[in-house]
Amino acid sequence: QVQLVESGGGLVQPGGSLRLSCAPVGFSLRYYAIDWFRQAAGEEREEILCISTSDTVRYYADSVKDRFTVSRDIANNTAYLQINNLKLEDTAVYGCAASYSGSDSTWCPPSEYDRDYRGQGTQVTVSS
């Protein structure tokens, strides 16, 4: 079964850090741009950033540029989202999505693009 599996969420205090993981099942990161999104309760989904198959990073949300970083490990077929200095307003379900682009491409999908695969997400709760 082809899917994306996210992990690493949890309860963290303001100012803390988390690293979320996104592991494709049934396909390789080598050929897919991976983007991260989040959805807070009662709000619309927000696209955060994307990493292409050539490791080009595109931010959809400028407000997180100084705290959110993305990376990928091809050998382990896993992408990561590092979140530092977490704030209360970061509380949300965080998920990843994959869009086929071929290898060594700088392409990342537009925000409204229909991704090929989208994971169910992992809950991040920031609370003191």
Side-chain angles (χ1 to χ4, degrees), residues 103-118:
S103 62
D104 297 319
S105 171
T106 61
W107 180 82
C108 273
S111 294
E112 67 278 9
Y113 188 84
D114 190 13
R115 275 57 172 174
D116 294 314
Y117 306 108
R118 193 178 289 275

Side-chain angles (χ1 to χ4, degrees), residues 4-9 18-24 34 36 71 77-82 94-96 121-122:
L4 286 164
V5 179
E6 301 97 336
S7 61
L18 277 177
R19 189 177 77 159
L20 308 182
S21 299
C22 170
I34 297 294
W36 286 90
S71 61
N77 203 36
T78 302
Y80 302 98
L81 177 68
Q82 177 72 37
Y94 285 73
C96 59
T122 182

Side-chain angles (χ1 to χ4, degrees), residues 12-92:
V12 62
Q13 292 185 339
S17 298
L18 277 177
R19 189 177 77 159
L20 308 182
S21 299
C22 170
V25 176
F27 65 97
S28 172
L29 282 182
R30 191 180 301 277
Y31 307 105
Y32 287 77
I34 297 294
D35 62 88
W36 286 90
F37 60 91
R38 65 184 178 182
Q39 187 164 18
E43 298 187 14
E44 293 188 355
R45 185 173 62 221
E46 177 188 24
E47 299 291 341
I48 303 170
L49 49 66
C50 167
I51 184 165
S52 76
T53 56
S54 67
D55 290 330
T56 300
V57 177
R58 172 183 174 181
Y59 283 87
Y60 300 109
D62 289 339
S63 61
V64 303
K65 275 187 176 181
D66 59 341
R67 299 188 295 118
F68 288 42
T69 56
V70 63
S71 61
R72 39 180 221 141
D73 182 341
I74 296 299
N76 288 314
N77 203 36
T78 302
Y80 302 98
L81 177 68
Q82 177 72 37
I83 311 174
N84 297 323
N85 190 22
L86 277 153
K87 303 178 179 182
L88 296 176
E89 55 265 37
D90 292 324
T91 295

